[in-house]
Amino acid sequence: MKTQEQLEQIKQQNLYRSRKVVEGSSCVHPVVNGQESLAFCSNDYLGFSDHPEVCKAFIDAVKEYGVGTGSAHLVLGHTKAHYILEERLADFCQTERALLFSTGYMANLGVISALTGKNDLIVEDKLNHASLIDGAQLSNAKLVRYSHLDIDQLNSRLAIAEANNTMIATDGVFSMDGDMAPLQLIIDSAKQSGAMVMVDDAHGLGVIGQQGRGIIEEQRVNPSDVDLLIGTLGKGFGTAGAFVAGSEEMIEYLIQKARTYIYTTAMPAAVAMATLKSVDLIESEPWRREHLQKLIARFRRGAEQLDLTLVDSHTPIQPIIIGDAAATVKLSNLLAEQGVVVTAIRPPTVPKGTARLRVTFSASHSEQDVDTLLSALQIAISEAGIC
């Protein structure tokens, strides 16, 4: 493998990625590469990652449990903190049980590969997160994909299915577009074909729905109609890790069969205790979601006045479609020069020709922050010569 040649090719295609060095606890006002910044690229949608009560719960738990568990859940790593959090998450999601994983990526890999295999079929939206696609490939099942949100094409894929078992897997809120899956229609298709339904609601839980219960609540879907609900804790919950929620039987099966659960060290108990506090705040502080909606509406009005191309999204994920990768990188750099950080998203993360600035909002942002972003965008667009 000629890695140097491939690296040069990536650079020439304006697809090279670099890490930033971040200081400080705030995801909204961090110090990035030594510069005080205003950031619009965090998944900390509700502002819990540095919330005083969440931090205190973590620190108190470190004193009781230490900073690491020392072993896997099935050895000696499943503490009372993990047990309580799983019970709490199951109640929050209105399911029988929940099971913690170290990351959302590992949850999707473990769940899909445990429940499907050779001679099975997995049908996925083309814009699903990479972890759902990788999980299907790892499982050795046949993977077929349908055009984004295209239920007719989903049904046609299911109609020709010849498999022992069929799974439909979809994002709830799509991570790069911010739009939502038509969940009830997917469930109807699954019932007609006998397929199971798996929903990765990483970007919806805590953030949408009257009580923050995600796409299932937002679209008024019966929770029992979703066989597997995946949630990540590093986004709306502001901590780290992930979980899957489902029936008693399903969770017990995953404990026995999901390799990414069995063969990895359990998350620190302190993270579990911090997450418990986050769940309490999600339920007791609905103003955070209300504030987010005000910020999103303000941004969309301003972006339309600047003739920016937006996606039909009413979630904190607000992509500005630029198209050309080089132009997108240039805009991101021009914003950074003004102290405003917005990530340039390019292929292969998104389809070719759809490079974008991915703006994400947090309840920790103010209306003035939104106005600062819009002003910076206007200046950057003018300097870049992009109409």
Side-chain angles (χ1 to χ4, degrees), residues 64-238:
E64 180 177 358
Y65 291 100
V67 297
T69 54
S71 61
H73 281 278
L74 294 178
V75 181
L76 206 60
H78 191 67
T79 68
K80 185 175 181 180
H82 297 104
Y83 172 80
I84 295 171
L85 178 58
E86 287 182 345
E87 294 287 303
R88 185 75 169 89
L89 288 170
D91 179 69
F92 178 72
C93 295
Q94 299 179 311
T95 59
E96 292 179 358
R97 285 188 68 182
L99 184 68
L100 292 170
F101 281 79
S102 297
T103 68
Y105 214 111
M106 291 181 72
N108 283 338
L109 292 183
V111 169
I112 295 175
S113 60
L115 293 171
T116 60
K118 191 175 180 180
N119 300 320
D120 293 334
L121 174 69
I122 302 171
V123 188
E124 297 198 16
D125 190 295
K126 281 190 176 180
L127 296 190
N128 272 358
H129 189 267
S131 57
L132 288 169
I133 298 167
D134 290 354
Q137 293 172 336
L138 179 65
S139 73
N140 290 320
K142 181 180 180 181
L143 170 63
V144 297
R145 298 163 75 183
Y146 58 94
S147 297
H148 185 48
L149 308 183
D150 190 335
I151 298 301
D152 289 337
Q153 196 171 103
L154 166 62
N155 289 332
S156 69
R157 298 285 192 265
L158 293 170
I160 60 173
E162 293 182 4
N164 292 337
N165 300 292
T166 301
M167 172 187 283
I168 303 171
T170 183
D171 282 12
V173 174
F174 287 85
S175 60
M176 292 299 123
D177 286 57
D179 53 359
M180 289 183 263
L183 195 48
Q184 188 59 59
L185 294 177
I186 292 173
I187 290 169
D188 293 342
S189 297
K191 287 181 177 180
Q192 292 174 10
S193 64
M196 73 177 81
V197 176
M198 175 177 173
V199 178
D200 181 349
D201 203 22
H203 297 271
L205 283 165
V207 182
I208 59 175
Q210 186 175 0
Q211 295 177 290
R213 291 193 171 115
I215 189 172
I216 289 177
E217 181 183 29
E218 176 75 12
Q219 298 188 0
R220 299 180 181 180
V221 168
N222 187 336
S224 64
D225 286 337
V226 174
D227 298 284
L228 296 148
L229 176 67
I230 309 296
T232 52
L233 305 177
K235 299 179 174 65
F237 296 87

Side-chain angles (χ1 to χ4, degrees), residues 109-379:
L109 292 183
V111 169
I112 295 175
S113 60
L115 293 171
T116 60
K118 191 175 180 180
N119 300 320
D120 293 334
L121 174 69
I122 302 171
V123 188
E124 297 198 16
D125 190 295
K126 281 190 176 180
L127 296 190
N128 272 358
H129 189 267
S131 57
L132 288 169
I133 298 167
D134 290 354
Q137 293 172 336
L138 179 65
S139 73
N140 290 320
K142 181 180 180 181
L143 170 63
V144 297
R145 298 163 75 183
Y146 58 94
S147 297
H148 185 48
L149 308 183
D150 190 335
I151 298 301
D152 289 337
Q153 196 171 103
L154 166 62
N155 289 332
S156 69
R157 298 285 192 265
L158 293 170
I160 60 173
E162 293 182 4
N164 292 337
N165 300 292
T166 301
M167 172 187 283
I168 303 171
T170 183
D171 282 12
V173 174
F174 287 85
S175 60
M176 292 299 123
D177 286 57
D179 53 359
M180 289 183 263
L183 195 48
Q184 188 59 59
L185 294 177
I186 292 173
I187 290 169
D188 293 342
S189 297
K191 287 181 177 180
Q192 292 174 10
S193 64
M196 73 177 81
V197 176
M198 175 177 173
V199 178
D200 181 349
D201 203 22
H203 297 271
L205 283 165
V207 182
I208 59 175
Q210 186 175 0
Q211 295 177 290
R213 291 193 171 115
I215 189 172
I216 289 177
E217 181 183 29
E218 176 75 12
Q219 298 188 0
R220 299 180 181 180
V221 168
N222 187 336
S224 64
D225 286 337
V226 174
D227 298 284
L228 296 148
L229 176 67
I230 309 296
T232 52
L233 305 177
K235 299 179 174 65
F237 296 87
T239 57
F243 68 94
V244 54
S247 68
E248 174 82 28
E249 178 182 339
M250 189 71 76
I251 297 304
E252 194 59 40
Y253 182 83
L254 291 173
I255 290 172
Q256 308 304 319
K257 290 292 187 178
R259 293 167 66 86
T260 58
Y261 174 81
I262 297 169
Y263 301 111
T264 193
T265 300
M267 70 159 69
V271 174
M273 294 303 292
T275 306
L276 276 168
K277 177 54 66 175
S278 294
V279 180
D280 291 343
L281 292 170
I282 285 170
E283 293 184 327
S284 65
E285 297 187 353
W287 67 263
R288 293 178 181 273
R289 290 183 290 280
E290 295 165 5
H291 178 60
L292 268 177
Q293 287 304 311
K294 291 179 181 177
L295 297 179
I296 293 164
R298 190 181 188 93
F299 168 74
R300 291 185 70 86
R301 286 194 301 269
E304 289 170 3
Q305 292 173 3
L306 295 176
D307 292 325
L308 298 175
T309 302
L310 302 179
V311 173
D312 184 18
S313 165
H314 297 281
T315 69
I317 301 169
Q318 293 291 318
I320 303 171
I321 307 300
I322 306 301
D324 179 69
T328 306
V329 172
K330 185 174 184 179
L331 278 174
S332 180
N333 290 338
L334 287 169
L335 288 170
E337 290 175 6
Q338 300 178 67
V340 176
V341 184
V342 181
T343 305
I345 305 294
R346 296 150 286 165
T349 306
V350 294
K352 188 176 181 180
T354 69
R356 80 255 337 245
L357 294 174
R358 181 178 180 266
V359 176
T360 57
F361 290 102
S362 167
S364 295
H365 283 120
S366 67
E367 292 186 2
Q368 180 59 51
D369 290 336
V370 176
D371 294 342
T372 299
L373 169 63
L374 290 167
S375 296
L377 279 167
Q378 186 173 23
I379 293 170

Side-chain angles (χ1 to χ4, degrees), residues 32-85:
V32 180
N33 292 337
Q35 178 184 11
E36 292 185 7
S37 303
L38 172 61
F40 292 90
C41 46
S42 168
N43 292 328
D44 183 19
Y45 299 125
L46 298 178
F48 288 156
S49 66
D50 62 349
H51 190 289
E53 292 183 41
V54 177
C55 293
K56 183 179 184 303
F58 182 90
I59 293 167
D60 290 346
V62 166
K63 296 174 183 177
E64 180 177 358
Y65 291 100
V67 297
T69 54
S71 61
H73 281 278
L74 294 178
V75 181
L76 206 60
H78 191 67
T79 68
K80 185 175 181 180
H82 297 104
Y83 172 80
I84 295 171
L85 178 58

